[in-house]
Amino acid sequence: MKVLSVVGARPQLVKLAPIAQAFAGTEHEHVIVHTGQHYDTALSDRFFADLVIPEPDLNLGVGSAAHGVQTGAMLAALDTVLPSYDPDWVLAYGDTNSTMATALAAVKLHLPLAHLEAGLRSFNRRMPEEHNRVLTDHAADLCLAPTTAAVTQLEREGLAARTRLVGDVMADVCLATAAWLQAHPLPPLRQPPYIVATIHRAENTDDPARLRGLLAALAGLPVPVVLSVHPRLAKRCADLGADLQEGALEPVEPLSYPEMIAAVLSAEAIVTDSGGLQKEAFLLRRRCVTLRTETEWPETVESGWNVLAPGKDPSLEPLVTRPLPTSDPGTPYGDGQAAQAVVAVLDEERGQ
Ligand code: UD1
């Protein structure tokens, strides 16, 4: 079997790591195409090195642009690239513009399309990620669902026959990295206690009043807040003249994946709008506060490890110091072996 993975943005590289590793132990051929959506070393190259992912076979070098221009450039490039590899499966990851371009290119070329992380919904149609994931699920021949909630959602949308539950590959990489860190500890980011924070989603960064409110809420916390600064946040803050050194804030360059897991393990709490970080906090049993009106990962909230703070000026102190949940949250994201399940399901469903 030949599987062609298309990735482009940071969270897709994290998901690619366990998949590439699972393929490495098989006779199957795994081709990696990078769209170039993320091109900064801190958002891309370092992830290949730190997570020991083979170099991409091809980088389309698309870069940043408005959504339509960026997605269109990827679509045009993939139109010639995908057939040249003649894959048994094109594998699309998550919910970025790279995901949707991959889906459109594959279905129009009649190449079998599998969607990893299918069935997640925010039900917020203002989010670019929501369009990307809904359209990709409905284009896909195979929906690889990470959770039972995602399976239920795909059934509701009439996609049951194409859906398979595989578990969450982000749990694979998170748990494996946490275990690796026990044997290979990294120098501490700073002395605890501290909070780890990230803000990068368009709905938070692109509304000046909201961004100022969120930064002020973080700056006002009584413990240091290590803020990992995504380029989108850096640009918006520069445009606004907002000071990232204010109050409790301690801005740092985007962390590598192992650095982030180590930082979470030593943190009092996480404050974020990242989907991945919400789950990493849950898996590593740290309090999380999500700066959004909804989450695609309801299991983290139901268990009490995550709370939503939807407001513009959230009062964060009671949330980051709330008592830790005591009930057993179970393993809604699987047992850390999802990538093997993905390879097995792709092989089983091939040519059907
Ligand atoms: C994208 C995904 C988002 C994901 C995030 C993770 C979409 C619609 N969004 O958002 O779901 O959570 O990646 O990081 O695909 N930039 C750089 N260097 C880079 C990449 C981007 O400076 O390597 C800057 C550019 O100014 C660009 C902006 O960041 O315009 C946004 O980048 P883009 O890839 O469009 O979306 P993200 O915000 O990174």
Side-chain angles (χ1 to χ4, degrees):
M1 169 172 73
K2 188 196 281 185
V3 176
L4 189 152
S5 285
V6 186
V7 291
R10 179 171 58 177
Q12 295 171 317
L13 307 182
V14 177
K15 300 181 226 295
L16 172 65
I19 295 287
Q21 208 177 356
F23 273 114
T26 69
E27 63 198 11
H28 304 304
E29 189 180 344
H30 184 219
V31 178
I32 300 172
V33 173
H34 192 313
T35 63
Q37 176 172 350
H38 283 175
Y39 43 88
D40 281 3
T41 303
L43 295 194
S44 183
D45 300 359
R46 262 171 88 188
F47 282 73
F48 282 89
D50 287 334
L51 295 172
V52 203
I53 308 170
E55 284 295 302
D57 294 85
L58 188 67
N59 191 318
L60 307 178
V62 162
S64 302
H67 288 287
V69 176
Q70 184 184 55
T71 310
M74 294 173 193
L75 183 55
L78 288 168
D79 224 15
T80 47
V81 165
L82 295 186
S84 72
Y85 286 101
D86 190 24
D88 294 298
W89 285 108
V90 175
L91 184 56
Y93 294 66
D95 57 17
T96 73
N97 290 343
S98 296
T99 315
M100 193 172 71
T102 305
L104 280 175
V107 291
K108 293 212 173 282
L109 292 161
H110 307 296
L111 291 170
L113 171 70
H115 183 207
L116 184 75
E117 214 176 66
L120 301 182
R121 298 289 180 266
S122 67
F123 303 103
N124 176 352
R125 286 177 53 82
R126 292 199 54 81
M127 289 176 65
E129 293 84 1
E130 184 73 355
H131 319 147
N132 292 338
R133 55 173 88 95
V134 171
L135 291 167
T136 302
D137 281 344
H138 284 261
D141 301 285
L142 181 59
C143 291
L144 298 164
T147 61
T148 53
V151 170
T152 304
Q153 181 58 31
L154 291 162
E155 286 168 357
R156 274 192 206 116
E157 295 180 26
L159 300 176
R162 302 183 217 166
T163 296
R164 298 285 299 266
L165 177 66
V166 287
D168 184 354
V169 297
M170 289 193 84
D172 298 13
V173 63
C174 174
L175 299 173
T177 304
W180 182 85
L181 284 167
Q182 287 204 320
H184 308 86
L186 296 178
L189 199 57
R190 77 170 329 284
Q191 221 29 52
Y194 63 85
I195 284 166
V196 172
T198 72
I199 303 174
H200 79 277
R201 285 199 184 268
E203 64 264 31
N204 283 336
T205 58
D206 294 7
D207 171 352
R210 186 169 175 83
L211 180 56
R212 281 191 192 283
L214 296 179
L215 290 173
L218 287 169
L221 282 169
V223 266
V225 176
V226 177
L227 177 66
S228 172
V229 181
H230 184 285
R232 176 191 280 280
L233 176 64
K235 285 204 170 65
R236 295 296 181 268
C237 288
D239 295 346
L240 283 180
D243 183 8
L244 282 177
Q245 303 281 354
E246 206 189 335
L249 289 176
E250 293 185 2
V252 294
E253 294 287 310
L255 299 176
S256 72
Y257 188 77
E259 283 170 346
M260 182 57 95
I261 297 299
V264 169
L265 281 165
S266 301
E268 292 298 296
I270 316 303
V271 183
T272 188
D273 59 6
S274 150
L277 211 42
Q278 289 169 51
K279 248 179 325 164
E280 283 142 16
F282 170 88
L283 292 164
L284 303 174
R285 304 289 184 257
R286 291 292 176 279
R287 294 177 194 93
C288 185
V289 180
T290 295
L291 300 170
R292 288 181 49 197
T293 46
E294 68 283 304
T295 175
E296 297 80 13
W297 304 104
E299 305 82 6
T300 61
V301 173
E302 285 153 15
S303 65
W305 287 97
N306 190 13
V307 291
L308 299 175
K312 244 185 207 152
D313 305 293
S315 169
L316 293 178
E317 192 179 343
L319 301 180
V320 297
T321 53
R322 70 189 192 273
L324 297 177
T326 49
S327 59
D328 177 6
T331 53
Y333 302 115
D335 56 2
Q337 306 295 320
Q340 273 94 336
V342 168
V343 175
V345 169
L346 290 173
D347 201 18
E348 275 164 40
E349 299 285 331
R350 177 162 50 126
Q352 287 184 11

